Amino acid sequence: MTGPMEASRVEGFSLWLLDKARQRGAAEADVFYTEGESRHLLLREGLPEEDVTGFGHSVTLRCLLPGGRQGLATVNRFEKEDLESLLDWSLANAAVSEDDPFLEIGEGCVPPDGGDLGLEDPGLRDLGPEERNRACLEMTDAARKADKRVVSVRSASWSDGWGSIFLANSKGFHAWQRGTSVSCGVAVVLEEGGSYEMGGFGEESRFAARLDPVSVAVQAVRKTAAILGGKPLGSARMTVFLDPESCADFVDAIGDLFLAPNVLRNKSLLKGKLGTQVASAAFSLVDDGRLRGGMATGPFDGEGVPTRRTPLVSSGILESYLYDLRSARESGVASTGNAVRGSGSAPDAGCSNLFPVPGETSPESLYIEAGRGLLVTEIMGLHTINPVSGDFSLGVKGVLMEGANAVRPVAEVTVAGNLGDWLKQVRAVGNDLRFFGGTGGCTMVIDDVAVAGS
C-alpha cells in the first residue's frame, strides 16, 4: 500500500488489538498508528540533485502486564497474521521486561475539541513538482543576485509533507491527529580576498503560503556575508548578544534540563530548584503545546493527555518541569501533556513549542543600550554542555558591535561559563521572536561573558 489507509480500517484493527491484548493478560494497552508522506527537492548550483518522495505507515502495540512490565512491537503490514504476530511480540517483550510501578497507559477520554490549531494546509497535498522546482530556482537566483561575493549556491531545497496519527488505548481513548509541514532553505559560499565562508538559512511552517523563498535566500546570504573574513577577538569579559537563531539553538539545548525524567535521574542542574530564582528577572520561558500553527502543536500528546501552555520560568523563577504520565506519577503531580513518541518507541517526556517570552525592545535599541558587544550568529558545540554542572565552552562566530553599528566579523572565538550563571546574566530579551521548527528565539543580551580568541 502506498497511500493513506481508510480511517475505519485503522480504527477497526486498533480496537481488535486492544481487545485481544486484554484477553491475553495485558492489564492495559495502547495502539499508536502513524502514516505520512514526504517530498523533497534539492538543486545544487541550480541543477537537480535530489528529488525524493516517500510514504510510510506503521502500527505500534504497547502492552503493560500487571506490575508495570512493558512491551512494544511494531509492524508495517496489516493483514490478520501480521497483527497477530504484533500481539505475540508485544506480550512476549513485556513478559521479559522489569517491573515499573510508575508506568501507566494513557487517559480514558477523548480530549474536548480545542478548536482549529492551524495544523493543516489543505492545499499542500496538491503541490506539484513544478511549484517546488520554481521555488528552488527562485532561491538560487535571489541568492546569486543578493551579493556579488556569492561564488556558489551549494543548495536550494524545498520539502513538504503530511502526517496522521491515530492513538487508542484500553481505557477508552481514541482520536486522530493530522498535520502538514513545509520548509525551504539555502546554503551559499561567499569569497572575498581569498577568504571563504559557507552558511545558510531556512524556514519551516505548517502552510506553504507563509514561506517566502526569496527572503530566505537573501537572509542566507546576509548571515554568511556578516561573518565573511572573521578574525579572533582578544580575551575579555564582554556583553554578548544572541541573534534569534542562536538564541533558539541555545533554548533548544537547555530544554532537556526541564524534562522531569532527567530531573528524576539527576541529569539536570535544575533538580530541587522549583520556586527558586534560576535566571534573571528579564528571562521567562514557556512550553506551549497548543501554540496555533506551531511545528510541535497538537490537541493531545503521545499518551492522549490534552496539551497545554506551561510556564517554565517566570521572571527568573522556576515554575515547572515537563511531565509525561510516568514521571508525573513518580513525582506525585499531573502530566503537563508533554509525552512524545514515534513509531516503535515508548512515550517519554519532551518539549513542544519552547520559547523565551519576548520583551518590548527592538534589537537595535538593545545594541545601543549595551554600547559594545559581540553579536553571536552561530554557536558550535552546544551538545557538549554538562547538564548537571552547567559548565560549557562553546565556539562562536559573529560580529563585533559598537552600538547599532557592525565593526567587523568575528571567528575562532570561544565563550565559556556556566549555565546557571549565564541565565542570571541575561539583561534583556528583544521583541523579535521567531521560530525555527518547534523552538523560538529572540535577540538576547547576556552581560559579563568570558570571550577568548584562539
Side-chain angles (χ1 to χ4, degrees):
M1 187 174 194
T2 58
M5 190 178 295
E6 289 185 6
S8 59
R9 184 183 176 196
V10 174
E11 295 167 12
F13 70 62
S14 296
L15 296 178
W16 181 85
L17 284 167
L18 294 173
D19 184 54
K20 291 297 182 182
R22 293 295 297 271
Q23 290 179 25
R24 292 183 53 181
E28 299 177 21
D30 70 13
V31 172
F32 186 71
Y33 172 80
T34 66
E35 65 180 19
E37 182 179 27
S38 62
R39 300 172 290 194
H40 175 72
L41 175 66
L42 183 145
L43 305 187
R44 184 181 295 274
E45 308 298 353
L47 299 175
E49 180 163 290
E50 298 177 12
D51 189 355
V52 180
T53 297
F55 173 84
H57 56 179
S58 67
V59 61
T60 299
L61 174 64
R62 181 167 65 122
C63 292
L64 252 64
L65 298 179
R69 288 176 293 155
Q70 176 176 260
L72 293 90
T74 303
V75 296
N76 54 16
R77 295 168 58 93
F78 308 96
E79 299 305 321
K80 187 175 180 181
E81 58 269 25
D82 302 309
L83 299 175
E84 289 174 339
S85 177
L86 173 68
L87 182 62
D88 291 340
W89 277 109
S90 179
L91 289 167
N93 290 335
V96 297
S97 67
E98 296 182 359
D99 287 352
D100 187 339
F102 300 111
L103 276 175
E104 60 179 308
I105 284 193
E107 296 282 282
C109 62
V110 177
D113 182 12
D116 181 11
L117 294 175
L119 305 183
E120 283 192 272
D121 182 345
L124 194 58
R125 294 196 192 195
D126 298 326
L127 195 70
E130 299 83 6
E131 289 92 341
R132 294 188 200 93
N133 189 63
R134 184 183 308 116
C136 290
L137 288 173
E138 288 176 352
M139 288 186 283
T140 300
D141 187 53
R144 287 171 173 165
K145 292 179 177 177
D147 194 307
K148 63 182 180 181
R149 295 171 293 179
V150 173
V151 295
S152 173
V153 182
R154 295 294 297 275
S155 66
S157 63
W158 177 281
S159 300
D160 60 78
W162 60 267
S164 298
I165 292 169
F166 179 70
L167 176 63
N169 66 35
S170 54
K171 291 182 176 179
F173 180 94
H174 53 89
W176 285 90
Q177 187 175 143
R178 297 178 174 88
T180 55
S181 65
V182 57
S183 63
C184 63
V186 177
V188 294
V189 177
L190 274 68
E191 185 273 335
E192 184 175 44
S195 178
Y196 291 83
E197 187 69 44
M198 181 174 176
F201 187 72
E203 286 190 336
E204 186 176 11
S205 177
R206 296 282 188 177
F207 293 80
R210 294 178 185 172
L211 295 185
D212 184 343
V214 170
S215 176
V216 166
V218 172
Q219 182 72 357
V221 174
R222 286 177 179 171
K223 284 180 67 72
T224 308
I227 57 176
L228 177 62
K231 304 293 183 184
L233 288 173
S235 297
R237 300 195 71 90
M238 63 191 303
T239 297
V240 163
F241 312 103
L242 301 182
D243 75 355
E245 188 169 9
S246 294
C247 177
D249 289 340
F250 174 70
V251 167
D252 185 65
I254 67 173
D256 284 356
L257 301 178
F258 296 89
L259 302 183
N262 290 336
V263 175
L264 291 166
R265 297 168 191 149
N266 298 312
K267 293 182 178 180
S268 170
L269 59 83
L270 298 179
K271 181 180 177 66
K273 295 185 178 180
L274 282 175
T276 69
Q277 191 92 26
V278 298
S280 80
F283 183 77
S284 296
L285 187 69
V286 168
D287 181 89
D288 191 351
R290 302 192 69 79
L291 181 71
R292 180 173 172 77
M295 298 308 299
T297 294
F300 56 87
D301 73 355
E303 294 174 311
V305 178
T307 53
R308 73 182 206 189
R309 177 184 173 98
T310 304
L312 298 175
V313 179
S314 298
S315 299
I317 304 296
L318 179 60
E319 299 282 354
S320 179
Y321 303 125
L322 297 174
Y323 298 90
D324 62 347
L325 283 170
R326 191 210 170 281
S327 61
R329 190 173 184 180
E330 183 174 354
S331 304
V333 299
S335 171
T336 56
N338 280 89
V340 297
R341 69 193 297 183
S343 176
S345 65
D348 198 4
C351 300
S352 59
N353 301 295
L354 184 67
F355 60 95
V357 177
E360 299 180 354
T361 307
S362 70
E364 293 75 16
S365 296
L366 293 177
Y367 302 150
I368 292 170
E369 289 173 8
R372 184 175 187 271
L374 173 61
L375 171 60
V376 173
T377 61
E378 184 177 344
I379 308 178
M380 295 151 283
L382 282 165
H383 65 283
T384 65
I385 294 176
N386 187 314
V388 178
S389 70
D391 294 333
F392 64 84
S393 179
L394 307 171
V396 302
K397 294 182 180 181
V399 180
L400 181 64
M401 304 292 294
E402 291 284 357
N405 299 314
V407 177
R408 68 173 180 86
V410 174
E412 299 178 37
V413 164
T414 60
V415 294
N418 181 274
L419 280 181
D421 296 333
W422 239 35
L423 290 172
K424 292 178 179 177
Q425 291 161 209
V426 175
R427 180 199 298 183
V429 177
N431 64 359
D432 53 341
L433 175 65
R434 65 187 305 171
F435 280 84
F436 302 86
T439 309
C442 318
T443 297
M444 185 177 291
V445 185
I446 306 173
D447 286 330
D448 195 33
V449 175
V451 178
S454 57

